Amino acid sequence: MKMTPLVEQMVRHWGEMGARWGISRSVAQVHALLHFTARPVPADEIAETLGIARSNVSGCLKELQGWGVVRLVHLPGDRREHFESINDVWRLFEVLLDERKRREVDPTLKALRECSAQEEAAPKDSPETQRRLSEMLEFFEMMDAWYGEVRRMPIQSRVRLVKAANRIRSWLG
Amino acid sequence: MKMTPLVEQMVRHWGEMGARWGISRSVAQVHALLHFTARPVPADEIAETLGIARSNVSGCLKELQGWGVVRLVHLPGDRREHFESINDVWRLFEVLLDERKRREVDPTLKALRECSAQEEAAPKDSPETQRRLSEMLEFFEMMDAWYGEVRRMPIQSRVRLVKAANRIRSWLG
DNA sequence: CATTCTTTTCAGTAATTATTGAAAAGATGA
DNA sequence: TCATCTTTTCAATAATTACTGAAAAGAATG
């Protein structure tokens, strides 16, 4: 399949960005291809279009399906499995943020809680070290609670929340 | 220098997390050591304590200073440069978020704008592809504007904003 | 300004992570 | 059940990134 210039640019860009997002180049490229092509594509066509190994595509698709941002569809008259990207950009970034929080924030919160409990049971550090630990824990607890709140809002409310940033600003004083 | 169990745990944890944050293990460990030790430490002592090369510590400190989360101080009667972590956790994560936005969001916003302009000048893609491009651009524009708003608030307002999440939830309906 | 202590640079090496391709496993239809 | 098409697994290899250590450069002291 020949990509249009737009799709090609997006594939290239997401591939580069993927590295910075902790997503492998191939996974990011496969996602970009599916998302901007906006129709179901079979795995071998993805491999051919992106010039990467068929087996690699297979792994990328597993990962993207695992995250729930790509789904498998069957097209009548074709034995092969086709794949398409979900078309909701809010849902897409929700998945990415959830994943990041799970990998980056949750383990740290756990570690901070454990350390804090230990320190409380038997203080062994300077007051300033203790203060920094509890400040750090408090920060993570606050962010965790906030994310939980926002996460529970329906998408519509989140859109309003984001769009209303300037109003909130004056409202908070 | 012998680390207390608390500092040791934090150093180990931040080292592991660093990888997921796109920060090298050493940089993250040096930061954890300075932050939780909470007093100025000279580079050679950092190297010895963490068991990493002196030259590596030098590079890590350059990076941390470049981000503004570690600063150089001189202690009377000691020729060596000492380093300490800034003690404001909000400022610390502000720096990390700014850095992430700069590396991950800004280039994508730029690419999306360029693609969008090209497509507008000479449409070459399916209506659905065009729709996905503009939806993606709109999303990034919205987030960019929102981040700018929040970023401009004084820290105090941000704390209130985060703490008021549940109130905002009902306020938005 | 020479000695000594300290920091930085950088080429080489190590460690990690991503990708390939061949072979095995799984599925479909005659 | 066999032949064929498709997907997955996994050991080998490639690419990337992080780290070291020796040597050079820079600073402070007498």
Side-chain angles (χ1 to χ4, degrees):
Chain A
M1 177 181 55
K2 179 92 177 69
M3 289 181 278
T4 64
L6 187 159
V7 175
E8 202 177 327
Q9 266 179 279
M10 284 296 113
V11 163
R12 189 164 339 118
H13 182 79
W14 284 43
E16 281 162 20
M17 280 304 127
R20 303 184 187 182
W21 275 76
I23 292 165
S24 92
R25 171 176 306 256
S26 312
V27 172
Q29 287 187 337
V30 169
H31 181 260
L33 179 66
L34 291 177
H35 191 78
F36 290 103
T37 297
R39 61 169 175 79
V41 184
D44 55 348
E45 206 176 317
I46 299 174
E48 190 216 334
T49 307
L50 298 178
I52 64 181
R54 176 63 184 74
S55 61
N56 190 5
V57 171
S58 183
C60 295
L61 288 168
K62 274 274 145 7
E63 195 164 342
L64 290 166
Q65 284 176 92
W67 291 350
V69 298
V70 156
R71 72 174 142 250
L72 191 159
V73 293
H74 280 287
L75 257 55
D78 198 330
R79 231 187 198 186
R80 298 169 300 175
E81 296 174 330
H82 289 60
F83 300 88
E84 64 181 5
S85 168
I86 59 169
N87 84 357
D88 178 346
V89 76
W90 280 85
R91 174 68 194 141
L92 171 62
F93 287 99
E94 182 174 281
V95 164
L96 288 179
L97 276 187
D98 281 354
E99 187 62 20
R100 274 203 152 171
K101 178 176 181 296
R102 196 179 62 75
R103 292 193 303 190
E104 299 173 0
V105 177
D106 295 353
T108 302
L109 190 48
K110 186 163 171 286
L112 288 168
R113 282 175 181 155
E114 282 169 12
C115 269
S116 199
Q118 280 170 33
E119 190 69 11
E120 202 147 323
K124 290 188 176 112
D125 296 82
S126 74
E128 178 57 15
T129 293
Q130 290 181 30
R131 203 193 62 74
R132 291 202 179 188
L133 178 67
S134 40
E135 195 192 15
M136 187 69 74
L137 176 57
E138 191 188 3
F139 181 83
F140 271 83
E141 294 282 14
M142 195 188 290
M143 288 304 170
D144 183 58
W146 179 75
Y147 189 78
E149 280 296 334
V150 175
R151 188 67 180 69
R152 246 170 270 125
M153 292 180 186
I155 301 269
Q156 268 317 310
S157 301
R158 286 184 229 170
V159 178
R160 263 173 293 178
L161 178 65
V162 170
K163 284 189 170 162
N166 45 0
R167 265 186 292 148
I168 288 164
R169 209 175 144 195
S170 46
W171 176 62
L172 285 167
Chain B
M1 177 181 56
K2 179 93 177 68
M3 290 181 277
T4 65
L6 189 159
V7 176
E8 203 177 327
Q9 267 179 279
M10 284 296 113
V11 164
R12 190 162 340 120
H13 183 79
W14 284 42
E16 281 162 20
M17 279 304 126
R20 304 184 186 180
W21 275 74
I23 292 164
S24 92
R25 170 175 306 255
S26 313
V27 173
Q29 287 187 336
V30 169
H31 180 260
L33 179 66
L34 292 177
H35 190 78
F36 291 103
T37 297
R39 62 169 174 77
V41 184
D44 54 350
E45 206 177 314
I46 298 174
E48 190 215 333
T49 306
L50 297 178
I52 63 181
R54 175 65 183 76
S55 60
N56 189 7
V57 171
S58 183
C60 293
L61 288 167
K62 275 273 143 13
E63 194 164 342
L64 289 166
Q65 283 177 93
W67 292 350
V69 298
V70 156
R71 74 175 140 250
L72 191 159
V73 293
H74 281 285
L75 258 54
D78 197 328
R79 228 188 199 184
R80 296 169 302 176
E81 296 175 330
H82 290 59
F83 300 88
E84 64 181 5
S85 167
I86 59 170
N87 84 358
D88 177 346
V89 74
W90 280 85
R91 174 68 194 139
L92 171 61
F93 287 99
E94 182 173 281
V95 164
L96 288 178
L97 275 187
D98 281 355
E99 187 62 21
R100 274 201 152 171
K101 177 175 181 298
R102 198 180 61 76
R103 292 192 304 189
E104 299 174 359
V105 177
D106 294 354
T108 302
L109 190 48
K110 187 162 170 285
L112 288 168
R113 280 174 181 154
E114 282 168 13
C115 268
S116 198
Q118 281 171 32
E119 189 70 12
E120 202 147 324
K124 290 188 175 112
D125 296 81
S126 73
E128 179 58 16
T129 293
Q130 290 180 30
R131 203 192 61 74
R132 291 200 178 189
L133 177 67
S134 40
E135 195 192 14
M136 186 71 72
L137 175 57
E138 191 189 2
F139 180 83
F140 271 83
E141 293 284 14
M142 195 188 289
M143 288 303 168
D144 183 59
W146 179 75
Y147 189 78
E149 281 296 334
V150 175
R151 188 69 181 68
R152 244 170 271 125
M153 292 180 186
I155 300 268
Q156 268 316 311
S157 301
R158 286 184 230 170
V159 177
R160 261 174 294 179
L161 178 65
V162 170
K163 284 190 170 161
N166 44 0
R167 264 187 292 147
I168 288 162
R169 209 174 145 199
S170 46
W171 177 62
L172 284 167

